[in-house]
C-alpha cells in the first residue's frame, strides 16, 4: 500500500465551481527511501521512508549507521509501508492524484485529565430535586461485596486525547507538486505541525445503488 509522510499545516477552504470545499493542507514529502525490505532477506516486502531533516548531533551512532548505509541525511521520522515499491530514491506527493481516496493517520490533540462527561459522554446526575455537587460525577463503580473490585476497562475519568487516530476515505482535492502540498477534503486528526501519515484507502465506499 503506497504511503507518504507529511506535516499538517492547517485547514482552509477552496472553491470548486460554485461551492466551497473545506480542506486540510498537508506539507508532504519529499520522503527519502531509507530501506527496502524483501521477502528473501526480511520475510516480507516493505519500504521504509523518512521525513523531516534532523541534525546529525542529535542522532545516535546506530541510527547514523542506518542512514549512512542508505546514503541519506538523518531524518526525524521513519515509517514503514508494506507492499509498496516506489520508483527512485524519493517519494513525493505525485504518487497521489486528484479525486483519489486516501486514509490519514495522526495523533489526536491532548485534552489532559478529563471527567466522565467529557471523556465518555456520560449523561451526568440530575440537576434538581435536592442534588448538590453531583451533576458531573460518574456514580457507582462497584458491586458491593461481590466481586469486591472494579472491573478492568471501567469507563472513568482520566487522560484524554494523544491517541493514534485514522480517518478513512478522505478525498484528495488538489495536489501541488511544486510546493509539496496536498489538499485533503475534511479534517485530519492532530494539531498543526503534527506528523501525518497518508496511505491509499484500504476501504472504498460503494455509492448507493450498487456499482
Amino acid at each position: 500500500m503506497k504511503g507518504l509522510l507529511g506535516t499538517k499545516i492547517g485547514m482552509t477552504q477552496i472553491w470548486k465551481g460554485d461551492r466551497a470545499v473545506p480542506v486540510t493542507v498537508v506539507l508532504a514529502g519529499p520522503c527519502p527511501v531509507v530501506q527496502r525490505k524483501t521477502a528473501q532477506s526480511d520475510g516480507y516486502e516493505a519500504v521504509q521512508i523518512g521525513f523531516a531533516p534532523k541534525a546529525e548531533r542529535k542522532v545516535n551512532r546506530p541510527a547514523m549507521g542506518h542512514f549512512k548505509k542508505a546514503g541519506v541525511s538523518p531524518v526525524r521520522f521513519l515509517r514503514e509501508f508494506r507492499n509498496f515499491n516506489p520508483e527512485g530514491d524519493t517519494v513525493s506527493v505525485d504518487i497521489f492524484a486528484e479525486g483519489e481516496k486516501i486514509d490519514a493517520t495522526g495523533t489526536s490533540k491532548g485534552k489532559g485529565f478529563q471527567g466522565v462527561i467529557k471523556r465518555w459522554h456520560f449523561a451526568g446526575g440530575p440537576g434538581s430535586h435536592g442534588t448538590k455537587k453531583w451533576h458531573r460525577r460518574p456514580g457507582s463503580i462497584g458491586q458491593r461485596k461481590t466481586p469486591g473490585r472494579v472491573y478492568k476497562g471501567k469507563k472513568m475519568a482520566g487522560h484524554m486525547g494523544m491517541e493514534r487516530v485514522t480517518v478513512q476515505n478522505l478525498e484528495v482535492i488538489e495536489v501541488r507538486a511544486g510546493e509539496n502540498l496536498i489538499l485533503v477534503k475534511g479534517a485530519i486528526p492532530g494539531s498543526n505541525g503534527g506528523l501525518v501519515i497518508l496511505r491509499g484507502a484500504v476501504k472504498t465506499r460503494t455509492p448507493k445503488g450498487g456499482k
Side-chain angles (χ1 to χ4, degrees):
M1 182 64 67
K2 62 182 178 180
L4 188 65
L5 304 180
T7 299
K8 180 178 176 181
I9 301 299
M11 289 197 69
T12 184
Q13 65 179 18
I14 62 173
W15 288 91
K16 285 290 184 180
D18 59 348
R19 64 190 181 96
V21 180
V23 296
T24 301
V25 182
V26 179
L27 176 64
C31 298
V33 175
V34 180
Q35 184 180 9
R36 293 180 186 269
K37 297 188 176 182
T38 62
Q40 292 75 19
S41 61
D42 302 283
Y44 63 98
E45 302 284 340
V47 63
Q48 185 186 74
I49 63 175
F51 179 69
K54 187 175 183 179
E56 291 190 8
R57 61 184 176 83
K58 295 185 178 181
V59 181
N60 58 30
R61 289 187 177 183
M64 183 59 70
H66 184 61
F67 293 128
K68 286 185 177 181
K69 183 178 179 180
V72 300
S73 300
V75 290
R76 183 180 177 189
F77 302 106
L78 288 173
R79 293 296 184 273
E80 189 175 284
F81 298 90
R82 291 200 174 199
N83 302 318
F84 177 38
N85 187 22
E87 298 180 359
D89 298 327
T90 304
V91 183
S92 57
V93 292
D94 55 13
I95 64 171
F96 296 113
E98 182 176 336
E100 188 174 352
K101 296 291 186 177
I102 64 173
D103 297 338
T105 301
T107 302
S108 62
K109 293 181 179 179
K111 304 294 184 180
F113 190 96
Q114 297 296 333
V116 292
I117 290 181
K118 183 176 179 68
R119 191 183 186 199
W120 301 113
H121 310 293
F122 280 21
S128 61
H129 299 285
T131 303
K132 185 176 182 180
K133 296 182 180 180
W134 199 265
H135 308 84
R136 301 180 67 88
R137 296 194 181 187
S140 175
I141 62 172
Q143 300 81 31
R144 299 183 70 180
K145 185 176 181 179
T146 304
R149 62 186 174 85
V150 178
Y151 288 135
K152 290 183 179 180
K154 179 71 175 177
K155 292 180 178 178
M156 301 177 69
H159 184 266
M160 181 179 177
M162 288 297 290
E163 297 177 339
R164 182 185 175 98
V165 180
T166 299
V167 179
Q168 296 182 321
N169 292 318
L170 297 176
E171 181 183 352
V172 176
I173 298 298
E174 187 177 340
V175 176
R176 300 179 182 177
E179 303 173 77
N180 295 319
L181 295 178
I182 181 169
L183 279 60
V184 181
K185 183 178 180 180
I188 291 178
S191 58
N192 296 343
L195 177 68
V196 175
I197 304 173
L198 303 178
R199 291 186 177 90
V202 296
K203 295 186 291 186
T204 304
R205 294 175 181 171
T206 302
K208 292 183 179 179
K211 301 179 181 177

